[in-house]
């Protein structure tokens, strides 16, 4: 895995076994060891097992590891972390082939807090997961999107009751390439946003919705319309102005190209390759 700083410097971290050459999904994790620095979690993407690796934010060493699903499952795992009802929690979503299986783990005790299917159990496209306080009650809610083979069906579950707050389709419901979600406050108002990208087979067209109302706020075509590998999403305070900027990367079949969009006005801040531009494995954050 490559950690790229905003000054352009890079750091390589060996996260999983050397035999695994696939994508790695990451998420920031609240400080677990009391050193005042944010940790991070890693999970393999498509083609990898469901092993979660919790890493120290200071030296990148592994603090804890566990399997979110059966070790034999090789569909990868979507992850998101945050404090839910006072608990440092990790939300996981099984990848393609694993069904719409969502779990929530207590990161301190390792206990499994929730295990449920968020769409019909027979759907095998997996899910993408993210967290945001969509109803502004001070508790993070869980946002999910149907994976490959499903429509761009987005569901928001209340962080307290786990009842559905809202659901909608981010794109044409007849388009069954799946979607991924990423949340953050991308316009510096009181409400968080839900950024949605289509999966492989879809255009690299990102849509950004107000998480509290479900209304479309912004649409960005991040790459050429001829590219149909979809896009992947992330966020970082890239220009160190104290605001979260949106990251977009090429999906399956694309070079490891990354674009960074400024908070609020979505102007392009940077456009670079996070690896060999001749590779066609896409990118993950």
């Amino acid at each position: 895995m490559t950690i790229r700083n905003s000054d352009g410097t890079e750091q390589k971290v060996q996260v999983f076994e050397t035999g695994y050459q696939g994508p790695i999904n990451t998420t920031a994790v609240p400080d677990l060891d009391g050193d005042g620095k944010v940790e991070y979690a890693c999970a393999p993407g498509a083609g990898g097992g469901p092993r979660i690796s919790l890493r120290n934010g200071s030296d990148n060493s592994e603090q804890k590891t566990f399997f979110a699903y059966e070790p034999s499952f090789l569909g990868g795992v979507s992850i998101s972390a945050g404090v839910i009802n006072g608990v440092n929690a990790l939300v996981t979503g099984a990848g393609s082939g694993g069904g719409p299986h969502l779990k929530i783990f207590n990161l301190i005790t390792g206990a499994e807090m929730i295990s449920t299917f968020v769409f019909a159990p027979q759907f095998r496209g997996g899910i993408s997961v993210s967290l945001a306080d969509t109803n502004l009650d001070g508790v993070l809610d869980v946002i999910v999107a149907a994976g490959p083979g499903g429509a761009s069906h987005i569901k928001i579950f209340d962080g307290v009751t786990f009842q559905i707050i809202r659901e909608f389709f981010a794109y044409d419901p007849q388009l069954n390439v799946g979607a991924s979600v990423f949340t953050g406050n991308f316009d510096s108002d009181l409400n968080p946003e839900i950024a949605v990208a289509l999966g492989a087979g879809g255009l690299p067209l990102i849509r950004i919705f107000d998480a509290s109302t479900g209304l479309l706020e912004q649409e960005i075509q991040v790459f050429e319309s001829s590219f149909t590998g979809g896009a992947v999403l992330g966020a970082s305070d890239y220009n160190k102005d104290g605001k979260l900027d949106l990251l977009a990367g090429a999906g399956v079949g694309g070079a490891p190209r990354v674009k960074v969009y400024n908070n609020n006005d979505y102007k392009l801040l940077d456009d670079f390759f996070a690896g060999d531009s001749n590779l066609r494995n896409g990118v993950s954050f």
Side-chain angles (χ1 to χ4, degrees):
M1 182 180 74
T2 301
I3 299 175
R4 189 178 195 272
N5 301 310
S6 58
D7 62 3
T9 59
E10 295 183 350
Q11 184 177 6
K12 302 289 186 180
V13 179
Q14 183 70 44
V15 178
F16 299 112
E17 293 73 19
T18 54
Y20 176 68
Q21 300 295 316
I24 297 175
N25 299 321
T26 63
T27 186
V29 173
D31 182 17
L32 297 178
D33 56 9
D35 66 354
K37 295 187 177 181
V38 173
E39 328 297 355
Y40 64 97
C42 301
R51 184 164 83 85
I52 308 298
S53 177
L54 298 178
R55 297 269 161 172
N56 186 285
S58 298
D59 60 11
N60 300 309
S61 61
E62 187 171 77
Q63 292 182 311
K64 186 184 298 185
T65 186
F66 64 93
F67 288 95
Y69 303 95
E70 287 296 321
S72 59
F73 172 62
L74 298 177
V77 182
S78 173
I79 53 176
S80 188
V83 179
I84 304 176
N85 272 334
V87 176
N88 276 347
L90 180 76
V91 180
T92 68
S96 183
H101 196 179
L102 179 142
K103 291 186 178 184
I104 301 179
F105 296 90
N106 183 317
L107 285 174
I108 302 301
T109 67
E112 188 178 292
M113 300 163 58
I114 288 179
S115 177
T116 187
F117 289 88
V118 294
F119 297 107
Q122 61 268 28
F123 173 64
R124 310 310 295 174
I127 54 172
S128 170
V129 300
S130 196
L131 289 167
D133 181 11
T134 66
N135 55 4
L136 306 181
D137 65 352
V139 179
L140 292 175
D141 306 309
V142 179
I143 299 95
V144 304
S152 54
H153 195 175
I154 312 299
K155 288 186 178 182
I156 303 174
F157 293 89
D158 187 273
V160 177
T161 66
F162 212 71
Q163 299 300 305
I164 293 178
I165 297 175
R166 182 177 297 105
E167 56 183 311
F168 61 94
F169 290 93
Y171 301 88
D172 184 346
Q174 303 303 313
L175 188 60
N176 293 320
V177 299
S180 60
V181 289
F182 197 93
T183 55
N185 192 336
F186 298 122
D187 60 5
S188 301
D189 63 3
L190 294 177
N191 300 335
E193 278 70 50
I194 301 173
V196 187
L198 290 168
L203 293 172
L205 182 68
I206 293 174
R207 287 183 172 173
I208 301 166
F209 298 85
D210 185 301
S212 297
T213 65
L215 296 177
L216 179 64
E217 291 186 348
Q218 187 78 20
E219 186 173 271
I220 308 170
Q221 182 154 328
V222 293
F223 303 114
E224 297 77 10
S225 58
S226 58
F227 176 65
T228 57
V232 295
L233 302 167
S236 172
D237 180 9
Y238 193 78
N239 55 1
K240 299 188 182 303
D241 64 353
K243 300 176 182 179
L244 204 59
D245 305 308
L246 180 66
L247 309 179
V252 176
R257 188 178 176 186
V258 176
K259 290 189 175 183
V260 185
Y261 294 92
N262 190 51
N263 186 287
N264 197 40
D265 59 13
Y266 298 105
K267 289 182 178 179
L268 188 65
L269 287 177
D270 203 354
D271 182 353
F272 63 91
F273 289 96
D276 186 344
S277 61
N278 294 310
L279 295 176
R280 290 296 179 267
N281 299 321
V283 69
S284 60
F285 300 120

